[in-house]
Coordinates of all heavy atoms in Angstrom, one line a residue:
M1 N 0.8 -1.2 0.0 CA 0.0 0.0 0.0 C 0.9 1.2 0.0 O 0.7 2.2 -0.8 CB -0.9 -0.1 1.3 CG -2.0 1.1 1.2 SD -3.0 1.0 -0.1 CE -4.0 2.5 0.1
F2 N 1.9 1.3 0.8 CA 2.7 2.5 0.9 C 3.5 2.7 -0.3 O 3.7 3.7 -0.8 CB 3.7 2.3 2.1 CG 4.5 3.5 2.3 CD1 4.0 4.6 3.0 CD2 5.9 3.5 1.9 CE1 4.8 5.8 3.1 CE2 6.6 4.7 2.1 CZ 6.1 5.8 2.7
R3 N 3.9 1.5 -0.9 CA 4.7 1.6 -2.1 C 3.7 2.2 -3.3 O 4.3 3.0 -4.1 CB 5.1 0.2 -2.6 CG 6.4 -0.2 -1.7 CD 6.9 -1.5 -2.1 NE 7.5 -1.4 -3.5 CZ 8.2 -2.4 -4.0 NH1 8.2 -3.5 -3.4 NH2 8.7 -2.2 -5.2
L4 N 2.5 1.9 -3.2 CA 1.6 2.4 -4.3 C 1.5 4.0 -4.2 O 1.5 4.7 -5.1 CB 0.3 1.8 -4.0 CG -0.7 2.1 -5.2 CD1 -0.3 1.2 -6.5 CD2 -2.1 1.5 -4.9
I5 N 1.4 4.4 -3.0 CA 1.3 5.9 -2.8 C 2.6 6.6 -3.1 O 2.6 7.6 -3.8 CB 1.1 6.2 -1.3 CG1 -0.3 5.7 -0.8 CG2 1.2 7.7 -1.0 CD1 -0.5 5.8 0.6
A6 N 3.8 6.0 -2.9 CA 5.2 6.5 -3.3 C 5.1 6.6 -4.9 O 5.6 7.6 -5.4 CB 6.2 5.8 -2.7
F7 N 4.7 5.5 -5.5 CA 4.7 5.5 -6.9 C 3.9 6.5 -7.5 O 4.2 7.2 -8.5 CB 4.3 4.1 -7.3 CG 4.2 4.0 -8.9 CD1 5.4 3.8 -9.6 CD2 3.1 4.0 -9.6 CE1 5.4 3.7 -11.0 CE2 3.0 3.9 -10.9 CZ 4.2 3.9 -11.7
A8 N 2.6 6.8 -7.0 CA 1.8 7.7 -7.5 C 2.4 9.2 -7.3 O 2.2 10.0 -8.1 CB 0.5 7.7 -6.7
L9 N 3.0 9.4 -6.2 CA 3.7 10.7 -6.0 C 4.8 10.9 -7.0 O 4.9 12.0 -7.7 CB 4.3 10.6 -4.6 CG 4.6 12.1 -4.1 CD1 3.3 12.8 -3.7 CD2 5.4 11.9 -2.8
I10 N 5.6 9.9 -7.3 CA 6.7 10.1 -8.3 C 6.0 10.3 -9.6 O 6.5 11.2 -10.5 CB 7.5 8.7 -8.3 CG1 8.4 8.7 -6.9 CG2 8.4 8.8 -9.5 CD1 8.9 7.4 -6.7
A11 N 5.1 9.6 -10.0 CA 4.3 9.8 -11.3 C 3.7 11.2 -11.5 O 3.8 11.8 -12.5 CB 3.3 8.7 -11.5
Y12 N 3.2 11.7 -10.3 CA 2.8 13.0 -10.3 C 3.8 14.0 -10.6 O 3.6 15.0 -11.5 CB 1.9 13.3 -9.0 CG 1.4 14.6 -8.9 CD1 0.3 15.1 -9.6 CD2 2.0 15.6 -8.0 CE1 -0.1 16.4 -9.6 CE2 1.5 16.8 -7.9 CZ 0.5 17.2 -8.6 OH -0.1 18.6 -8.5
V13 N 4.8 13.9 -9.9 CA 6.0 14.9 -10.0 C 6.5 14.9 -11.4 O 6.8 15.8 -12.0 CB 7.1 14.5 -8.9 CG1 8.3 15.4 -9.3 CG2 6.6 14.9 -7.6
A14 N 6.8 13.7 -11.9 CA 7.3 13.5 -13.2 C 6.2 14.0 -14.3 O 6.8 14.7 -15.3 CB 7.4 12.0 -13.6
Y15 N 5.0 14.0 -14.1 CA 4.0 14.6 -14.9 C 4.0 16.0 -14.9 O 4.2 16.7 -16.0 CB 2.6 14.1 -14.6 CG 1.6 14.8 -15.2 CD1 1.2 14.6 -16.5 CD2 0.7 15.7 -14.5 CE1 0.1 15.3 -17.1 CE2 -0.4 16.3 -15.1 CZ -0.6 16.1 -16.4 OH -1.6 16.8 -16.9
R16 N 4.2 16.6 -13.8 CA 4.3 18.1 -13.7 C 5.6 18.6 -14.3 O 5.6 19.6 -15.0 CB 4.3 18.5 -12.2 CG 2.8 18.5 -11.7 CD 2.8 19.2 -10.4 NE 3.1 20.6 -10.7 CZ 2.8 21.6 -9.9 NH1 2.1 21.4 -8.8 NH2 3.2 22.8 -10.1
L17 N 6.7 17.9 -14.1 CA 8.0 18.3 -14.7 C 7.9 18.2 -16.2 O 8.3 19.1 -17.0 CB 9.1 17.4 -14.2 CG 9.6 17.7 -12.8 CD1 10.7 16.6 -12.4 CD2 10.2 19.1 -12.8
A18 N 7.3 17.1 -16.7 CA 7.1 16.9 -18.2 C 6.3 18.0 -18.8 O 6.7 18.6 -19.8 CB 6.6 15.6 -18.5
R19 N 5.4 18.4 -18.2 CA 4.4 19.5 -18.7 C 5.1 20.8 -18.7 O 5.1 21.6 -19.6 CB 3.2 19.7 -17.8 CG 2.0 18.8 -18.3 CD 0.8 19.2 -17.5 NE 0.5 20.6 -17.7 CZ -0.9 21.1 -17.8 NH1 -1.8 20.3 -17.6 NH2 -1.1 22.4 -18.0
R20 N 5.9 21.1 -17.7 CA 6.7 22.3 -17.6 C 7.8 22.4 -18.7 O 8.0 23.4 -19.3 CB 7.4 22.5 -16.2 CG 7.4 23.9 -15.7 CD 7.9 23.8 -14.3 NE 9.2 24.6 -14.1 CZ 9.6 25.0 -13.0 NH1 9.0 24.5 -12.0 NH2 10.7 25.7 -12.9
W21 N 8.4 21.2 -18.8 CA 9.4 21.1 -19.9 C 8.7 21.4 -21.2 O 9.4 22.1 -22.1 CB 10.0 19.7 -19.8 CG 11.2 19.5 -20.7 CD1 12.4 20.2 -20.6 CD2 11.3 18.7 -21.9 NE1 13.2 19.8 -21.6 CE2 12.5 18.8 -22.4 CE3 10.3 17.9 -22.5 CZ2 12.9 18.1 -23.6 CZ3 10.7 17.2 -23.6 CH2 12.0 17.3 -24.1
I22 N 7.7 20.8 -21.5 CA 7.0 20.9 -22.9 C 6.7 22.2 -23.1 O 6.9 22.8 -24.2 CB 6.0 19.9 -23.0 CG1 6.4 18.5 -23.0 CG2 5.1 20.2 -24.2 CD1 5.3 17.4 -22.8
S23 N 6.0 23.0 -22.1 CA 5.5 24.3 -22.4 C 6.7 25.3 -22.5 O 6.5 26.3 -23.2 CB 4.6 24.8 -21.2 OG 5.3 24.7 -20.0
G24 N 7.8 25.0 -21.8 CA 8.9 25.8 -21.9 C 9.6 25.6 -23.3 O 10.0 26.7 -23.8
R25 N 9.6 24.5 -23.7 CA 10.3 24.3 -25.0 C 9.4 25.0 -26.2 O 10.1 25.5 -27.0 CB 10.3 22.8 -25.3 CG 11.7 22.3 -25.1 CD 11.6 20.8 -25.3 NE 11.9 20.5 -26.7 CZ 13.1 20.2 -27.3 NH1 14.1 20.3 -26.4 NH2 13.2 20.1 -28.7
S26 N 8.1 24.9 -26.1 CA 7.4 25.4 -27.2 C 7.3 26.9 -27.4 O 7.1 27.6 -28.2 CB 5.9 24.9 -27.1 OG 5.4 25.4 -25.9
R27 N 7.8 27.6 -26.1 CA 7.8 29.1 -26.1 C 9.2 29.5 -26.6 O 9.2 30.7 -26.9 CB 7.5 29.6 -24.7 CG 6.1 29.6 -24.3 CD 5.8 30.2 -23.1 NE 6.3 31.6 -23.2 CZ 6.3 32.5 -22.3 NH1 5.9 32.1 -21.0 NH2 6.8 33.8 -22.4
S28 N 10.2 28.9 -26.6 CA 11.4 29.4 -26.9 C 12.2 28.4 -27.9 O 11.8 27.3 -28.0 CB 12.3 29.6 -25.6 OG 12.5 28.4 -25.0
T29 N 13.3 28.9 -28.4 CA 14.2 28.0 -29.2 C 14.8 27.0 -28.3 O 15.0 27.2 -27.0 CB 15.3 28.9 -29.8 OG1 15.9 29.6 -28.7 CG2 14.6 30.0 -30.6
P30 N 15.1 25.9 -28.9 CA 15.8 24.8 -28.2 C 17.1 25.3 -27.4 O 17.8 26.0 -28.1 CB 15.9 23.8 -29.2 CG 15.0 24.1 -30.3 CD 14.9 25.6 -30.3
V31 N 17.3 24.8 -26.2 CA 18.4 25.3 -25.6 C 19.3 24.1 -25.3 O 18.9 23.0 -24.8 CB 17.9 25.8 -24.2 CG1 19.1 26.2 -23.3 CG2 17.1 27.1 -24.5
N32 N 20.6 24.3 -25.4 CA 21.6 23.2 -25.1 C 21.8 23.3 -23.5 O 21.6 24.4 -22.9 CB 22.9 23.5 -25.8 CG 22.7 23.4 -27.3 OD1 22.0 22.7 -27.8 ND2 23.5 24.3 -28.0
G33 N 22.2 22.1 -22.9 CA 22.5 22.1 -21.5 C 21.3 21.5 -20.8 O 20.7 20.6 -21.3
T34 N 21.2 21.9 -19.5 CA 20.4 21.3 -18.6 C 18.9 21.6 -19.0 O 18.6 22.5 -19.8 CB 20.5 21.8 -17.2 OG1 20.3 23.2 -17.2 CG2 22.0 21.5 -16.8
D35 N 17.9 20.9 -18.4 CA 16.5 21.1 -18.8 C 15.8 21.9 -17.8 O 14.7 22.1 -17.6 CB 15.8 19.7 -18.8 CG 15.9 18.9 -17.6 OD1 16.7 19.3 -16.7 OD2 15.3 17.9 -17.5
L36 N 16.5 22.7 -16.9 CA 16.0 23.7 -16.0 C 15.3 24.7 -16.7 O 15.9 25.4 -17.7 CB 17.0 24.2 -15.0 CG 17.7 23.2 -14.1 CD1 18.8 23.8 -13.3 CD2 16.7 22.6 -13.2
G37 N 14.1 25.2 -16.2 CA 13.3 26.3 -16.9 C 14.2 27.6 -16.8 O 14.0 28.4 -17.8
R38 N 15.0 27.8 -15.8 CA 15.5 29.0 -15.6 C 16.6 29.4 -16.7 O 17.1 30.5 -16.8 CB 16.3 29.1 -14.3 CG 15.4 28.5 -13.2 CD 16.1 28.4 -11.8 NE 16.8 29.6 -11.5 CZ 17.2 29.9 -10.2 NH1 17.0 28.9 -9.3 NH2 17.7 31.0 -9.9
I39 N 17.0 28.3 -17.5 CA 18.0 28.5 -18.5 C 17.6 29.5 -19.4 O 18.5 30.1 -20.1 CB 18.4 27.2 -19.1 CG1 19.8 27.1 -19.7 CG2 17.4 26.8 -20.1 CD1 20.9 27.1 -18.8
D40 N 16.4 29.8 -19.6 CA 15.9 30.7 -20.6 C 16.3 32.1 -20.3 O 16.3 33.0 -21.1 CB 14.4 30.8 -20.5 CG 13.8 29.6 -21.4 OD1 14.5 29.0 -22.0 OD2 12.6 29.4 -21.4
D41 N 16.8 32.5 -19.1 CA 17.2 33.7 -18.7 C 18.5 34.1 -19.0 O 19.1 35.1 -18.7 CB 16.9 34.0 -17.2 CG 15.4 33.9 -16.9 OD1 14.6 34.4 -17.7 OD2 15.0 33.5 -15.8
V42 N 19.3 33.1 -19.5 CA 20.8 33.3 -19.8 C 20.9 34.4 -20.8 O 20.1 34.6 -21.7 CB 21.3 32.0 -20.2 CG1 21.0 31.6 -21.6 CG2 22.9 32.0 -20.1
M43 N 21.9 35.2 -20.6 CA 22.2 36.4 -21.5 C 23.4 35.8 -22.6 O 24.3 35.2 -22.2 CB 22.7 37.5 -20.7 CG 21.8 38.1 -19.7 SD 20.4 38.7 -20.4 CE 20.9 40.4 -20.9
V44 N 23.1 36.2 -23.7 CA 24.0 35.8 -24.8 C 24.4 37.1 -25.5 O 23.8 38.1 -25.5 CB 23.4 34.8 -25.8 CG1 23.3 33.6 -25.2 CG2 22.1 35.3 -26.4
K45 N 25.6 37.1 -26.3 CA 26.1 38.2 -27.0 C 25.8 38.1 -28.4 O 26.0 37.0 -29.1 CB 27.7 38.3 -26.7 CG 28.3 39.5 -27.1 CD 29.8 39.6 -26.9 CE 30.4 40.9 -27.4 NZ 31.7 40.9 -27.1
D46 N 25.3 39.3 -29.0 CA 25.0 39.4 -30.4 C 26.5 39.4 -31.1 O 27.2 40.3 -30.8 CB 24.2 40.7 -30.6 CG 23.8 40.8 -32.0 OD1 24.6 40.5 -33.0 OD2 22.7 41.2 -32.3
P47 N 26.7 38.5 -32.0 CA 27.9 38.5 -32.7 C 28.1 39.6 -33.8 O 29.3 40.0 -34.2 CB 28.0 37.1 -33.5 CG 26.5 36.8 -33.6 CD 25.8 37.3 -32.4
Q48 N 27.0 40.2 -34.1 CA 27.1 41.4 -34.9 C 27.3 42.7 -34.4 O 28.2 43.4 -34.7 CB 25.7 41.4 -35.8 CG 25.7 42.5 -36.9 CD 26.7 42.4 -38.0 OE1 27.2 41.3 -38.3 NE2 27.1 43.4 -38.5
C49 N 26.5 43.1 -33.4 CA 26.6 44.4 -32.7 C 27.2 44.4 -31.2 O 27.6 45.4 -30.8 CB 25.4 45.0 -32.7 SG 24.2 44.4 -31.5
G50 N 27.3 43.1 -30.8 CA 28.1 43.0 -29.4 C 27.1 43.2 -28.3 O 27.6 43.3 -27.2
A51 N 25.9 43.5 -28.5 CA 25.0 43.7 -27.3 C 24.6 42.4 -26.8 O 24.5 41.4 -27.3 CB 23.7 44.4 -27.9
Y52 N 24.3 42.5 -25.4 CA 23.9 41.3 -24.7 C 22.3 41.4 -24.6 O 21.6 42.4 -24.3 CB 24.5 41.3 -23.3 CG 25.9 40.8 -23.3 CD1 26.9 41.8 -23.4 CD2 26.2 39.6 -23.1 CE1 28.2 41.4 -23.4 CE2 27.5 39.1 -23.1 CZ 28.5 40.1 -23.3 OH 29.8 39.7 -23.2
F53 N 21.6 40.2 -24.7 CA 20.2 40.0 -24.7 C 19.8 38.8 -24.1 O 20.6 37.8 -24.1 CB 19.6 40.4 -26.0 CG 20.1 39.4 -27.0 CD1 19.5 38.1 -27.4 CD2 21.3 39.7 -27.7 CE1 19.9 37.4 -28.3 CE2 21.9 38.7 -28.7 CZ 21.2 37.6 -28.9
P54 N 18.5 38.6 -23.5 CA 18.1 37.3 -23.1 C 18.0 36.4 -24.3 O 17.5 36.7 -25.4 CB 16.7 37.6 -22.5 CG 16.7 39.1 -22.3 CD 17.6 39.7 -23.3
R55 N 18.4 35.1 -24.1 CA 18.6 34.2 -25.1 C 17.2 33.9 -25.8 O 17.0 33.7 -26.9 CB 19.1 32.9 -24.4 CG 19.3 31.8 -25.5 CD 19.8 30.5 -24.9 NE 20.3 29.6 -26.0 CZ 21.4 29.0 -26.0 NH1 22.2 29.2 -25.1 NH2 21.7 28.2 -27.0
R56 N 16.2 33.9 -25.0 CA 14.8 33.6 -25.5 C 14.3 34.7 -26.4 O 13.4 34.4 -27.2 CB 13.9 33.5 -24.3 CG 13.7 34.8 -23.5 CD 13.1 34.4 -22.1 NE 11.8 34.2 -22.2 CZ 11.0 33.8 -21.1 NH1 11.6 33.6 -20.0 NH2 9.8 33.6 -21.2
D57 N 14.8 35.9 -26.3 CA 14.5 36.9 -27.3 C 15.3 37.0 -28.5 O 15.1 37.9 -29.3 CB 14.5 38.3 -26.6 CG 13.6 38.5 -25.4 OD1 12.6 37.7 -25.4 OD2 13.8 39.3 -24.5
G58 N 16.3 36.1 -28.7 CA 17.2 36.1 -29.7 C 16.5 35.7 -31.0 O 15.6 34.9 -31.1
V59 N 17.2 36.3 -32.2 CA 16.8 35.8 -33.5 C 17.9 34.8 -34.0 O 19.0 35.1 -34.1 CB 16.7 37.0 -34.5 CG1 16.4 36.5 -35.8 CG2 15.7 38.0 -33.9
A60 N 17.4 33.5 -34.3 CA 18.4 32.4 -34.6 C 18.6 32.5 -36.0 O 17.9 32.8 -36.9 CB 17.7 31.1 -34.2
L61 N 19.9 32.1 -36.3 CA 20.4 31.8 -37.7 C 21.3 30.6 -37.7 O 22.2 30.6 -36.8 CB 21.1 33.2 -38.2 CG 21.8 32.9 -39.5 CD1 20.8 32.8 -40.6 CD2 22.7 34.0 -39.7
R62 N 21.0 29.8 -38.7 CA 22.0 28.7 -38.8 C 23.1 29.1 -39.8 O 22.8 29.4 -41.0 CB 21.3 27.5 -39.3 CG 22.1 26.2 -39.1 CD 21.1 24.9 -39.2 NE 20.3 25.0 -38.1 CZ 20.7 24.3 -37.0 NH1 21.8 23.6 -36.9 NH2 19.9 24.1 -35.9
H63 N 24.3 29.1 -39.3 CA 25.4 29.7 -40.3 C 26.6 28.7 -40.1 O 27.1 28.5 -39.1 CB 25.7 31.0 -39.8 CG 27.0 31.6 -40.6 ND1 26.8 32.0 -42.0 CD2 28.3 31.9 -40.2 CE1 28.1 32.4 -42.2 NE2 28.9 32.3 -41.3
A64 N 27.1 28.1 -41.2 CA 28.2 27.3 -41.3 C 28.2 26.1 -40.2 O 29.1 25.9 -39.5 CB 29.5 28.2 -41.0
G65 N 26.9 25.6 -40.1 CA 26.8 24.4 -39.1 C 26.6 24.9 -37.8 O 26.5 24.0 -36.9
R66 N 26.7 26.1 -37.5 CA 26.4 26.6 -36.1 C 25.2 27.4 -35.8 O 24.8 28.0 -37.0 CB 27.6 27.4 -35.6 CG 29.0 26.8 -35.5 CD 30.0 27.6 -35.1 NE 29.7 28.4 -33.9 CZ 30.4 29.5 -33.6 NH1 31.2 30.0 -34.4 NH2 30.0 30.2 -32.5
E67 N 24.6 27.4 -34.9 CA 23.4 28.3 -34.6 C 23.8 29.6 -33.8 O 24.3 29.6 -32.8 CB 22.2 27.6 -33.8 CG 21.1 28.4 -33.8 CD 19.9 27.6 -33.2 OE1 19.8 27.6 -32.0 OE2 19.0 27.0 -34.0
L68 N 23.5 30.7 -34.5 CA 23.8 31.9 -34.0 C 22.6 32.7 -33.5 O 21.6 32.4 -34.1 CB 24.6 32.9 -35.1 CG 25.9 32.3 -35.6 CD1 26.4 33.1 -36.8 CD2 27.0 32.2 -34.5
L69 N 22.7 33.5 -32.4 CA 21.6 34.2 -32.0 C 21.9 35.7 -32.1 O 22.9 36.2 -31.7 CB 21.2 33.9 -30.5 CG 20.6 32.6 -30.3 CD1 20.5 32.1 -28.9 CD2 19.2 32.5 -31.1
F70 N 20.9 36.5 -32.6 CA 21.2 38.0 -32.7 C 20.0 38.6 -31.8 O 18.9 38.1 -31.7 CB 21.0 38.4 -34.2 CG 22.0 37.8 -35.0 CD1 21.8 36.5 -35.6 CD2 23.3 38.4 -35.2 CE1 22.9 35.8 -36.4 CE2 24.2 37.7 -36.1 CZ 24.0 36.6 -36.6
C71 N 20.4 39.9 -31.6 CA 19.4 40.7 -30.7 C 18.3 41.1 -31.5 O 17.1 41.4 -30.9 CB 20.2 41.9 -30.0 SG 20.6 43.2 -31.2
S72 N 18.3 41.2 -32.8 CA 17.2 41.7 -33.7 C 17.3 41.2 -35.1 O 18.4 40.7 -35.4 CB 17.2 43.2 -33.7 OG 18.3 43.7 -34.4
R73 N 16.3 41.3 -35.8 CA 16.3 40.8 -37.2 C 17.2 41.7 -38.1 O 17.9 41.2 -39.0 CB 14.9 40.8 -37.8 CG 14.1 39.7 -37.2 CD 12.7 39.8 -37.9 NE 11.9 38.8 -37.2 CZ 10.5 38.8 -37.3 NH1 9.8 39.8 -38.0 NH2 9.8 37.9 -36.7
D74 N 17.4 42.9 -37.7 CA 18.3 43.9 -38.4 C 19.7 43.4 -38.2 O 20.4 43.3 -39.3 CB 18.2 45.3 -37.7 CG 16.8 46.0 -38.1 OD1 16.3 45.5 -39.1 OD2 16.6 47.0 -37.5
C75 N 20.1 43.0 -37.0 CA 21.5 42.4 -36.9 C 21.8 41.1 -37.7 O 22.6 40.8 -38.2 CB 21.7 42.2 -35.4 SG 22.1 43.8 -34.6
R76 N 20.7 40.3 -37.7 CA 20.8 39.0 -38.4 C 21.0 39.3 -39.9 O 21.8 38.7 -40.6 CB 19.6 38.2 -38.1 CG 19.7 36.9 -38.8 CD 18.4 36.1 -38.7 NE 17.4 36.9 -39.6 CZ 16.1 36.5 -39.7 NH1 15.7 35.4 -39.1 NH2 15.3 37.2 -40.5
D77 N 20.1 40.2 -40.4 CA 20.2 40.5 -41.9 C 21.5 41.2 -42.1 O 22.1 40.8 -43.2 CB 19.1 41.5 -42.2 CG 17.7 40.8 -42.1 OD1 17.6 39.6 -42.0 OD2 16.6 41.6 -42.1
R78 N 22.0 42.0 -41.4 CA 23.4 42.7 -41.4 C 24.4 41.6 -41.6 O 25.4 41.7 -42.3 CB 23.7 43.7 -40.4 CG 24.1 45.0 -41.0 CD 24.1 46.0 -39.9 NE 22.8 46.5 -39.4 CZ 22.6 46.9 -38.2 NH1 23.5 47.0 -37.3 NH2 21.4 47.3 -37.9
F79 N 24.3 40.6 -40.7 CA 25.3 39.5 -40.6 C 25.3 38.7 -41.8 O 26.3 38.4 -42.4 CB 25.0 38.6 -39.4 CG 26.0 37.5 -39.2 CD1 27.2 37.7 -38.4 CD2 25.8 36.3 -39.8 CE1 28.2 36.7 -38.2 CE2 26.7 35.2 -39.7 CZ 27.9 35.4 -38.9
I80 N 24.1 38.4 -42.3 CA 24.0 37.6 -43.6 C 24.6 38.5 -44.7 O 25.3 37.8 -45.5 CB 22.4 37.3 -43.8 CG1 21.8 36.4 -42.8 CG2 22.2 36.8 -45.2 CD1 20.4 36.2 -42.8
T81 N 24.3 39.6 -44.8 CA 24.9 40.5 -45.9 C 26.4 40.6 -45.8 O 27.1 40.3 -46.9 CB 24.3 42.0 -45.8 OG1 22.9 41.9 -45.7 CG2 24.7 42.8 -46.9
D82 N 26.9 40.7 -44.6 CA 28.4 40.8 -44.5 C 29.0 39.5 -44.9 O 30.1 39.4 -45.4 CB 28.7 41.2 -43.1 CG 28.4 42.5 -42.7 OD1 28.0 43.3 -43.6 OD2 28.5 43.0 -41.5
N83 N 28.4 38.3 -44.6 CA 29.0 37.1 -44.8 C 28.7 36.5 -46.1 O 29.1 35.3 -46.5 CB 28.5 36.1 -43.7 CG 29.3 36.5 -42.3 OD1 30.4 35.9 -42.1 ND2 28.7 37.3 -41.6
S84 N 27.7 37.1 -46.9 CA 27.5 36.5 -48.2 C 28.2 37.3 -49.3 O 28.1 36.9 -50.5 CB 26.0 36.6 -48.4 OG 25.6 38.0 -48.5
N85 N 29.0 38.4 -49.0 CA 29.8 39.1 -50.0 C 31.2 38.6 -50.1 O 32.0 39.1 -50.8 CB 29.7 40.5 -49.7 CG 28.3 41.2 -49.9 OD1 27.5 40.6 -50.7 ND2 28.0 42.3 -49.4
T86 N 31.4 37.5 -49.3 CA 32.8 37.0 -49.3 C 33.1 35.8 -50.2 O 33.2 34.7 -50.0 CB 33.3 36.6 -47.9 OG1 32.4 35.7 -47.5 CG2 33.2 37.8 -47.0
G87 N 32.9 36.1 -51.5 CA 33.2 35.0 -52.6 C 32.0 34.0 -52.6 O 30.8 34.5 -52.8
E88 N 32.3 32.8 -52.3 CA 31.2 31.9 -52.5 C 30.5 31.7 -51.1 O 30.2 30.7 -50.6 CB 31.8 30.5 -52.9 CG 33.2 30.6 -53.5 CD 33.5 29.3 -54.2 OE1 33.0 28.2 -54.1 OE2 34.2 29.5 -55.3
Ligands
ZN101 ZN1 22.5 43.3 -32.4

């Protein structure tokens, strides 16, 4: 009987964590690292203008096999322009 209650508790906690993880993922871009919800608050640097901004607000761009994050679409477009004029 006691084991049943413990199992139900674990299942409930797992269910809540899974829900939180899913809702967190759908709101933001996929994040590398741990699955803690607070990771969304990490600050990243814009490779184009050098400004820092919350990762969740970043504009993503896949470039040369890497994913870059920019503070705005303007910076992303500028980066694309700068990197597309170098030959091929
Ligand atoms: Zn920027």
Side-chain angles (χ1 to χ4, degrees):
M1 188 61 183
F2 184 77
R3 289 183 66 174
L4 193 70
I5 292 169
F7 177 78
L9 198 70
I10 291 166
Y12 175 71
V13 170
Y15 169 72
R16 286 197 56 160
L17 282 175
R19 268 190 64 146
R20 213 168 126 173
W21 184 69
I22 289 165
S23 63
R25 260 179 86 93
S26 62
R27 282 194 54 187
S28 62
T29 55
V31 174
N32 296 329
T34 62
D35 58 352
L36 295 173
R38 315 168 59 158
I39 202 79
D40 278 351
D41 293 325
V42 72
M43 301 294 279
V44 294
K45 189 178 182 182
D46 185 320
Q48 179 65 26
C49 72
Y52 284 88
F53 57 94
R55 184 176 190 135
R56 61 200 286 175
D57 292 341
V59 179
L61 170 70
R62 196 164 285 272
H63 175 74
R66 294 175 56 198
E67 189 171 81
L68 302 171
L69 284 171
F70 299 89
C71 69
S72 67
R73 287 181 189 163
D74 286 346
C75 283
R76 184 192 61 180
D77 292 345
R78 229 172 288 156
F79 181 88
I80 292 170
T81 304
D82 290 354
N83 284 272
S84 61
N85 289 336
T86 55
E88 344 203 326

